Structures are given as structure tokens and as C-alpha cells.
Amino acid sequence: MMGNEDSVMLPLVYGKAAEVARKRLEHLETWYHELYGEAELEFYSAPGRTEIIGNHTDHNGGKILAASITMDTVAAAAKRADGEVHITSEGYDKEVVIDVATAAETPHCEGTVSLVAGMIVAARDMGYEVGGFNATVSSEVIPSAGVSSSASFEMLVCTIIDHLFNGDSIPSADYARIGQYAENHFWDKASGLMDQMACAVGGTILLDFSDGVRYRKVDFSYDALGLDLVIVNTGKGHADLSAEYSSVPGEMREVAAALGVKNLCETNEDVLLENLEAVREGVGNDRAILRALHYFEECGRVDTAVAALEAGDKAKVLEMIEASGNSSWKWLQNAYVASDPSEQSIPLALALTEIFLRRAGAGVCRLHGGGFAGVIMCAVPKDKTDAYVDFMAGYFGAQNVYRTGIRQTGAVCLGSM
């Protein structure tokens, strides 16, 4: 069992919640021994993520402000000698079992087994070592709801592979590419890299996808603004909405193609406006043009927010967060599914939150993540947090209102304890 000599990583990663984290890991340790027998275990953690500004820009080479959050996925893991990967996750009845040597033959679009197989294939194709291991996994990241439970899991698996077989040498950007490859080629999901990067790196980061993956740390937290971050799950997951998500980058690229480029990062808003009549006629889809305009304006908001942070202008940052959310709702149009207008859980949650914040006199809210369903975020004044949680719990249930915050550590091995 875990000893009393807590790893120094626990307080570093979890702060005041270190003891709660320790109990979660002890549970995983006991469960591991029940399933797989005795082993010298090491423990791993990968956070979920929050998007601050930059909704649906990564896939077209745009900019994003994103951060890891305190919700995370954790694992206890150890090597096994036969070259097989065995993963058992809490809440899932079926164990994932993959032979590393034949991972490429794993059927696609069959859930977690396909995702893990795709990651193994990607890691090996990129020149990294992959061997067999057992793992027990537990997650508090809300599934199918816009805080990247899948990316959190992917970055957890990357951390295990990196630590056990590659000496902690794999760069964060390659973690993200491994996860993206698995989603693109084994899940048939047109995922970008933002989710994975935010989960892998930790803290708040400025991401620029115009030339590969570039990022730098940014000094931002809601705490510093006197706000708490609250995530509200509207109660409808988005696991069945892949076509809706894929339509966003697809339509943006239709506009890009009409302007003679592959992605929108290769052109600019002025070029689109100068050629709007021809693009509109050629594309034949006004929503695609609105989504392209959202892209350009959203990247500009990221730049404005970063400049405001560097200048200490907190009010401007909040203004950009609010403007980003409004653009997602009105221009990007991912607040609900157009083919099912009776289901508008995201707009309803936003409307209720806007009423609360107007009465409170401060705070901002926005659609969060991929959209169409899932969650919203609210940055609420700390002295109003309890009231907001109670207010939203009355409509969506207390189990769907989550207090969280920005975590400074990304995907990491916590040690052996």
C-alpha cells in the first residue's frame, strides 16, 4: 500500500486537495492489486481543460488561450512483459486489451480500445518505444461535455508510455499529436490539437497553430481577477455529434479554398471582405462565411486579451471572454444543433447565467468547448459563487455544477509513493 511518505508531487499538483488526491490513488492501488496482482506501481495524472478564448480556431491554424483545470484523470500503472496493454477504467465494464505488436489491426470507431490502439500506432510511427503495461484508471473530468475527458485520458496514456518506455523525453507537442492522430484516424473525428495541448502542458497557454504547434505560458488565472471558475453541465452529452463538429472546420476550409488557400490562417479578414460576393456565390453557404468571420475575429480577440494581460488590464480580458462567447453563439453557431431547435440546453444555461450575473453586477459566461451540447463556463465573483452554484443547481441539478480552477501542472507522473 501507499506509504505515509507522500510524494512531493501531490502538494505541487493538488495544493490543498492533496489528501483527497492521495485517497483516490490509494483506491487505484488497491484495485490494481486485485485485478493484476503485485507490482511496483507508479501513479499518473492528466487534467481536463478550459478554453478561455479561441473557440474553434485551432483546426484552421488559429490562436487560442486555454488552460488545464483541476479536474483530472488518474492512473496506477506498471509494465508487463508480454507486450500487451491492459487498461481498466472506473465506470466502464470492459477492459481494454491491445497487443502492441498488432495495434494497427485494431478495428476503428469502437470506443476506448480504438483510441488507445491509435495512440500506440502514432507513438511508434513517431519513433517512440511502446511496451506492455497494466493500468487502473479513474476520472473526475466530465465525459462528453466540453472539458476534454478524451484528451485528458489520451494525455494520461501518453504520460504512462513516456515515463515507462521513453525516460520522460517526449515533448508536449508530440503528446498532442499522438492523441490527435488517434482521434483522426481511429475515431474518425476531425479533432484539432488544442484540447490535447492544454491538457499536456498545464497552466494557461497561448497556442498558435499557424505553423505547426507553438505555445508559450501566459500569466492568467481567474483567482487573480477575484473570480471563481464554475462549469455547468447542461445535461446533454455531445458524444453523438461528430458530424456537427466536423462541419465547423469543413465549412471554414470551404471559404479558405474559395480564397485560394487551404486554411484560414493563410489569408485574412480583409481579403474575405474584398471578395465576399464571389465567395458567397461560390460557397453557397452563408453559415460558412459567418464561421470564417468568427475565426478571424476570434484570433484577434486572443491577441487583444494577451496584450491586455501584459498591460494589467483585467477588465479588457473579461470583455474579450464575453465577446468570444457571443461570437460562438451568433457567428459560429454552435450553441445548439440547427436540425433540432427544440433542444437548446446551452442557450438556456447561458440565459439563466446572464440573468444571475446582471443581478450580481459582475462576471462573465460563455459557451464552453466544442459546443452544440455539453457545458458552459461562468467566471463569477468569489463572494457570489455559492449563490450561483445554488441558483444553477436548481435548474440543472447540484451534480451538474462544478467548481474548478486553473491547474498549473499538465500531464505528469506523480511518482511511486
Side-chain angles (χ1 to χ4, degrees):
M1 296 292 292
M2 292 172 63
N4 292 324
E5 67 284 9
D6 283 0
S7 164
V8 295
M9 291 298 293
L10 288 186
L12 176 65
V13 174
Y14 294 100
K16 295 179 181 179
E19 185 57 29
V20 174
R22 186 176 189 275
K23 291 178 180 178
R24 290 173 67 203
L25 300 182
E26 285 180 335
H27 166 69
L28 285 180
E29 181 181 38
T30 300
W31 191 30
Y32 182 102
H33 292 317
E34 290 173 355
L35 291 174
Y36 301 118
E38 293 300 315
E40 292 294 326
L41 297 179
E42 292 181 287
F43 300 87
Y44 303 82
S45 166
R49 69 102 179 101
T50 183
E51 166 196 296
I52 300 166
I53 306 171
N55 196 225
H56 278 288
T57 62
D58 57 333
H59 41 62
N60 265 256
K63 297 179 180 180
I64 300 172
L65 267 181
S68 56
I69 59 174
T70 55
M71 298 175 183
D72 70 339
T73 307
V74 291
K79 287 184 180 181
R80 57 184 293 148
D82 62 0
E84 290 187 351
V85 170
H86 289 238
I87 300 175
T88 302
S89 297
E90 200 166 38
Y92 295 86
D93 295 334
K94 191 174 181 179
E95 179 189 39
V96 170
V97 179
I98 299 167
D99 187 332
V100 171
T102 59
E105 301 170 18
T106 305
H108 294 193
C109 300
E110 293 193 1
T112 305
V113 66
S114 301
L115 189 66
V116 175
M119 295 176 69
I120 292 170
V121 171
R124 294 181 70 180
D125 286 351
M126 293 169 67
Y128 298 116
E129 295 294 326
V130 184
F133 63 88
N134 297 319
T136 49
V137 174
S138 178
S139 184
E140 59 187 14
V141 183
I142 314 165
S144 299
V147 286
S148 296
S149 58
S150 58
S152 176
F153 174 78
E154 290 161 20
M155 298 304 94
L156 184 79
V157 173
C158 281
T159 308
I160 295 171
I161 291 171
D162 189 11
H163 184 73
L164 291 182
F165 306 105
N166 295 278
D168 302 310
S169 65
I170 303 178
S172 296
D174 281 356
Y175 274 35
R177 292 186 182 98
I178 289 167
Q180 182 194 38
Y181 178 92
E183 292 201 14
N184 290 172
H185 298 281
F186 279 71
W187 256 10
D188 295 343
K189 180 180 177 183
S191 144
L193 285 166
M194 185 270 285
D195 293 351
Q196 289 83 357
M197 285 297 294
C199 295
V201 176
T204 301
I205 55 175
L206 168 62
L207 287 156
D208 184 342
F209 295 100
S210 61
D211 183 17
V213 184
R214 292 177 290 170
Y215 73 93
R216 66 179 174 91
K217 289 269 195 171
V218 177
D219 185 12
F220 172 82
S221 72
Y222 290 106
D223 285 336
L225 301 181
L227 304 170
D228 284 328
L229 175 61
V230 179
I231 299 291
V232 180
N233 187 355
T234 65
K236 179 175 173 59
H238 61 217
D240 59 341
L241 297 174
S242 292
E244 298 292 341
Y245 299 125
S246 297
S247 73
V248 176
E251 290 183 5
M252 287 184 182
R253 289 191 181 109
E254 286 179 23
V255 175
L259 295 172
V261 296
K262 180 179 179 181
N263 291 310
L264 291 176
C265 65
E266 301 167 66
T267 185
N268 59 61
E269 186 175 81
D270 287 341
V271 172
L272 174 55
L273 294 176
E274 290 165 6
N275 295 277
L276 185 59
E277 184 176 352
V279 172
R280 191 179 184 196
E281 182 177 349
V283 173
N285 182 349
D286 284 345
R287 187 178 71 174
I289 294 171
L290 284 166
R291 285 174 164 176
L293 290 170
H294 163 85
Y295 168 90
F296 293 125
E297 293 287 323
E298 189 78 338
C299 291
R301 280 185 281 268
V302 172
D303 288 336
T304 299
V306 171
L309 284 172
E310 293 171 347
D313 187 350
K314 300 177 181 178
K316 176 60 72 172
V317 177
L318 295 179
E319 180 186 326
M320 291 300 99
I321 292 173
E322 184 173 43
S324 172
N326 287 335
S327 182
S328 293
W329 191 341
K330 293 190 295 185
W331 295 19
L332 186 63
Q333 299 182 29
N334 64 333
Y336 64 93
V337 177
S339 62
D340 186 13
S342 65
E343 171 59 60
Q344 296 199 25
S345 55
I346 289 287
L348 177 60
L350 289 171
L352 293 169
T353 301
E354 287 175 3
I355 290 170
F356 180 92
L357 294 179
R358 186 180 69 247
R359 294 176 178 177
V364 297
C365 65
R366 58 158 298 146
L367 175 155
H368 190 277
F372 300 108
V375 303
I376 69 163
M377 61 76 67
C378 177
V380 61
K382 288 181 176 293
D383 63 349
K384 303 293 185 182
T385 302
D386 289 345
Y388 176 69
V389 169
D390 289 344
F391 177 75
M392 295 302 281
Y395 298 103
F396 295 98
Q399 75 280 9
N400 288 318
V401 185
Y402 301 84
R403 304 168 192 249
T404 187
I406 293 177
R407 161 173 149 166
Q408 296 305 313
T409 309
V412 65
C413 175
L414 297 169
S416 58
M417 291 174 281

